[in-house]
Amino acid sequence: MKITLAYNLRTENTEEQAELLTQEDVDRIHNALLELKHQITLVEVSGKPDEVVERLAGSTPDLIFNVAEGTVGSSREAFYPALYEQLGIPFTGGNAALLHMNLDKHLAKIVVAERGIKVPKGILVTKQVKKFKTDLNFPLMIKPNSEGSSKGITQKSIVETAEEAVETINDLLIKFPLGLIVEEFINGKEISVPFIESYPGKLLESVEHTFDLEKLNLKYNVYDYFMKQGGESSKYVYVHCPPSLNEKDNKKIKTFARKVFSIMQCPDFGRVDLRLSNDGTAYFIELNPLPSLHPNASLMTAARKHGLSYTEVIRLIIRSAAKRYNLAIRKPKIIQISETEDKYKQRPTIRELGVRIGRFQPGINNAITDVKGIKVGHFTNIKNNVKIPGIQGTSSIRTGVTAILPSGGDIFTKRLVAGGYVLNGIGEMAGLTQVLEWGWLETPILLTNSHSIGKVHSGVISYMYDKYPSLGTKTDVILPVVGETDDSFLNDVRIGTNSSQEAIKAITSAKIGPIKQGSVGAGTGMVTCDFAGGIGTSSRIINFDEKYFTIGVLVLSNFGKMRNLTIDGAVVGRELDSSFAIDSRRRKNYGSIIVVIATDVPFTSNQLCRISKRSALGIGRIGSYAASTSGEIIIAFSTANRLLRTSEKPDKFLSLKFISDIYIDPFYEAVIEATEEAILNAIFCSNGMEGRENRYAPPVPQENVLELLSGRKILNVSN
């Protein structure tokens, strides 16, 4: 995407320019945008408006990443969004009305107070009206009405008498003639609640600032200008994320912040600042729809708590804006294969191409790794001209191993609740019978091809021996979970089996975050609906009981016929079928699929078995009829409940917290959506795969599919 970074550059270290960006700030955002592979133009928007317009229009962006704070007047922040709107250029962040209202802090408080939000009692004082109500209770906070970055706020901003108030008002009006807020000071906690619209749940963790008042020789905890600018007093300011709040107060401020954001309709990102009084009452202080993106600012501090990197935050802001303006983050085109290009390079997912499956929002990675603690690793084995043991001639290897590590792999000492379902059993998942009998999962889950189960099984045991030396001696033995599908159409299984060492490589390479999809790992030689592609993943976020839960799905997909391929209800396979040669397809084998479901929802084993059954409906949505020669095997686990492995005095009674069946339906719907999208990603992310005997599984023709879908529905962009 072509993105213009619009900003005002800080040219001197003065209070007047405190809100503007330093060159270091600009470079940091610029580097993040480059890391995201966007085409970037930098436009400094200070100066004459006609020249600014020329620079912006000349950059011809798809999107403006706006961090311009403005330099003149009470509408300075609003000027730039208004300009972008007149130029017809999409931009990140709030519009002119939102930015104008929230720079006028007194006006913002009037608006939210009308909607039932508690605000400190106070008034606006200007040069024309210098008097203030005598019924305000001291101490009072006096600060500029239309400034940010704590400009004009010092320890003298807290006054305890009318005489002090008059003196402070007269002094501040000289420097800040746009007016002052005079309001009752709320003695309590200083809390910020950052917000990223495209982050699941939207609100990030709250941030609290505390102050060592004794060392600062102060009476009131006020986050003043000198503290924010790194002065000597900043050494005694401490940041807590999450804040030191009890569960009741934490829930209270999150509910408070959500209500503020719903009133203000702040898009993409923002921050609510509030004071939590000593009696537990929350007071609105301000909303910042253009918060600082400095690494030490509240937004980035909270983002790190959620495992988000700086670049990831920038990506989420762009994703949110792209969704609002219906902008495609990647162009929906087929990557052409050339001799100089990696022909196994992953292509865009179906969602990145604009097709949105279902109604629930995906997680940040749209992957099983959106469930906290889940790691995934691949070992991919692609070789040509390999000698066939005991036979003259050579052949090709197209296979691999994929490892799913629940809770980072530590499930031997802390077993997870698990369940599963077998729709059709012409396939294998070693260890599933124990999972179904006990309802617990205690090993990583490995995926591979049909003839590699034994060696991969041995690899898991070797890995577990190294990690838990007492295994099988002081503790009982384990039965690893290893699932398979048949890749023999492209992979010569006489030579292309995976070793125990390669299984260990897949396990040790596992990591959180985005997952490689398509013809990779265990999916290297797999075929889905006559197109290449085996590994796919997707996730869904569900809002339940004022909390956000995640269901993630990973598939090893290797089933189906092209004629049945169905995408979001449209049987596109009917039109595609006649365009591809019948003789070159896999005809004797319908194939199979393994589905792995992870969630942080507190489910029982029985509920996870029922969740697994609904996942089978997602397979059906793609066009599967579960042929008699196929295996559709599903395993599911929850990270919400753990069973400690103990050899001495085990508990006689166990307690599990789980949701009521009355409320389970949205989770059924979510897992169906995630399964459907995961299978489609397995196909869409593959660039095609050639194999033994010059066989070839083509890549799905993305452009043709999008044309077929566009005739049936309007495409939307998400994720």
Side-chain angles (χ1 to χ4, degrees), residues 258-277:
R258 288 188 195 284
K259 189 172 181 180
V260 172
F261 280 120
S262 68
I263 292 170
M264 290 294 188
Q265 294 295 303
C266 180
D268 303 341
F269 68 128
R271 190 189 75 230
V272 168
D273 294 338
L274 59 94
R275 300 280 293 194
L276 188 66
S277 69

Side-chain angles (χ1 to χ4, degrees), residues 20 32 59 79 113 121 132 153 239 257 282 312 344 450 464 507 513 531 538 588 642 679:
L20 309 186
S59 67
F79 171 76
K121 186 178 180 181
F132 63 92
I153 298 178
V239 180
E312 188 69 8
Y344 304 121
S450 303
M464 297 293 279
I507 294 173
F531 295 110
S538 186
K588 295 181 180 180
R642 310 296 291 266
I679 298 169

Side-chain angles (χ1 to χ4, degrees), residues 423-424 528-529 557-567 571 590-593 615-628 630-633 675 679:
L423 177 63
N424 198 63
T528 302
C529 295
S557 182
N558 186 47
F559 74 95
K561 302 296 181 183
M562 189 184 301
R563 63 177 179 268
N564 301 125
L565 176 60
T566 304
I567 299 177
V571 189
Y590 182 82
S592 302
I593 183 171
S615 179
L617 295 176
I619 302 172
R621 283 189 177 183
I622 300 298
S624 172
Y625 52 86
S628 65
S630 69
E632 288 81 19
I633 302 175
T675 304
I679 298 169

Side-chain angles (χ1 to χ4, degrees), residues 10 13 15 18-19 105 143 147-155 190-192 209 211 216 222-237 239 271 273 275 285-286 288 291-292 294 296-298:
R10 186 174 183 174
N13 191 24
E15 187 174 6
E19 294 174 277
K105 295 176 174 55
K143 60 185 178 182
E147 300 293 346
S149 301
S150 291
K151 289 168 62 176
I153 298 178
T154 67
Q155 295 303 315
E190 176 111 359
I191 307 288
S192 294
H209 291 87
F211 311 85
L216 288 168
V222 177
Y223 202 12
D224 65 27
Y225 172 77
F226 298 104
M227 291 176 180
K228 283 193 175 180
Q229 295 301 312
E232 183 67 23
S233 57
S234 66
K235 297 177 182 178
Y236 304 104
V237 179
V239 180
R271 190 189 75 230
D273 294 338
R275 300 280 293 194
I285 300 301
E286 66 176 282
N288 190 338
S292 171
H294 190 280
N296 295 332
S298 294

Side-chain angles (χ1 to χ4, degrees), residues 615-656:
S615 179
L617 295 176
I619 302 172
R621 283 189 177 183
I622 300 298
S624 172
Y625 52 86
S628 65
T629 59
S630 69
E632 288 81 19
I633 302 175
I634 305 160
I635 186 170
F637 61 87
S638 168
T639 61
N641 289 303
R642 310 296 291 266
L643 175 66
L644 292 176
R645 180 186 295 271
T646 177
S647 57
E648 297 180 3
K649 296 181 180 180
D651 294 335
K652 293 182 179 179
F653 298 95
L654 299 176
S655 297
L656 293 180

